[in-house]
Amino acid sequence: MGRSRRTLPEELLLLALDPATGTTAQPQSLDLGLAGAQLVELALAGRIAPDGDRIAVVAPRPTGDPTLDCALELLRRRGAPVRAVHWIGGPRLGLRQTYLSHLERCGMVHAVAGQMCGVLPTTRYQATESAVSREIRARLDSAIRTGVPPDPRTAALAALAHAVGLGKHLYPGNEGRSSRSRLRDLIRHDPMGGLVAHAVIDVQNGVAVQPRRSPAPSAGRGAPEPARGVPMQPRRGSMARAVAH
């Protein structure tokens, strides 16, 4: 994979960085979004593909990006397609910091040391390549303003930004309400981005930890074996419950 452009996790993180405070918006859901953005980036690189509500490895060769290749190897070791919600809801300790450190090494951000309450050490990150951040934001703004179907990368970025709750960070206040609504609607333009975004929202709603219920057995019969290979459909209304507009 060439490094002529930023990956989706990097773009999502740059969108979430607050230029005034140097902190990331929606930090808890952002961690889920970064894990989901890795899946979309691997799909765009032709390494994985959706299989119903699951993710299957179709080409295990490395991409050249160490962080993505680590995720790809973990998926490969599963040996079978994994449900998107289970992957995104799994432990991803340090993923946000990994990408912040990477962006710092690339000169995209710089770390600013500080203290909380005059005692606890803190680190803020300020974007240094403002042109890149403006280009990322301009792609979203153009898709929202023109209504022209965006390219798959931009559609997936919009879906992830909505799923992690960046709408109010990017388009605040009552004047941003219509833009937030259109940001949500862009989810339909990329099937993989939509699958991952719904999975991110379902994890936040606790769907990933709920066991799947088997149909009740009929009178005089044992419980039927669950059908295999039938993908679960996203829950209706989960989008509206996850992020208020």
Side-chain angles (χ1 to χ4, degrees):
M1 177 184 296
R3 297 297 297 155
S4 60
R5 68 190 314 168
R6 304 260 64 85
T7 64
L8 274 174
E10 293 164 2
E11 291 188 334
L12 184 65
L13 188 52
L14 287 171
L15 275 180
L17 272 179
D18 189 319
T21 65
T23 60
T24 53
Q26 305 295 114
Q28 293 183 339
S29 56
L30 180 61
D31 290 343
L32 302 175
L34 291 174
Q38 287 185 316
L39 294 180
V40 180
E41 189 66 51
L42 287 171
L44 289 171
R47 302 313 197 263
I48 65 174
D51 181 8
D53 68 339
R54 297 174 185 268
I55 304 298
V57 176
V58 295
R61 65 184 184 279
T63 66
D65 181 297
T67 310
L68 289 175
D69 288 341
C70 179
L72 180 61
E73 176 61 15
L74 290 174
L75 285 166
R76 186 193 67 79
R77 290 179 183 176
R78 295 291 184 96
V82 59
R83 287 187 67 204
V85 288
H86 288 164
W87 172 260
I88 292 170
R92 295 290 179 272
L93 296 177
L95 187 59
R96 181 165 25 117
Q97 187 57 50
T98 295
Y99 275 108
L100 283 170
S101 298
H102 171 72
L103 289 175
E104 185 181 15
R105 289 192 300 271
C106 293
M108 300 293 298
V109 302
H110 71 274
V112 180
Q115 289 184 330
M116 181 182 296
C117 301
V119 179
L120 299 176
T122 61
T123 303
R124 297 179 295 112
Y125 290 87
Q126 299 286 351
T128 55
E129 290 288 343
S130 56
V132 175
S133 297
R134 286 197 299 269
E135 184 274 332
I136 296 169
R137 178 65 183 269
R139 280 163 42 209
L140 283 187
D141 291 345
S142 176
I144 287 173
R145 183 180 63 255
T146 64
V148 175
D151 61 275
R153 178 175 294 272
T154 302
L157 181 61
L160 288 163
H162 167 73
V164 302
L166 290 184
K168 289 187 177 180
H169 167 70
L170 298 171
Y171 307 103
N174 288 333
E175 64 275 14
R177 185 182 296 273
S178 61
S179 293
R180 293 195 299 270
S181 178
R182 287 193 289 271
L183 179 71
R184 177 198 62 210
D185 292 342
L186 290 176
I187 198 171
R188 71 183 186 274
H189 290 293
D190 180 58
M192 184 65 181
L195 168 66
V196 170
H198 279 290
V200 168
I201 292 170
D202 281 346
V203 171
Q204 294 178 76
N205 289 339
V207 174
V209 298
Q210 294 176 0
R212 189 183 300 185
R213 295 182 179 179
S214 298
S218 302
R221 297 184 180 179
E225 182 180 352
R228 300 190 179 207
V230 180
M232 290 182 64
Q233 298 298 319
R235 297 177 57 176
R236 284 185 186 272
S238 61
M239 298 292 291
R241 290 195 303 272
V243 182
H245 293 286

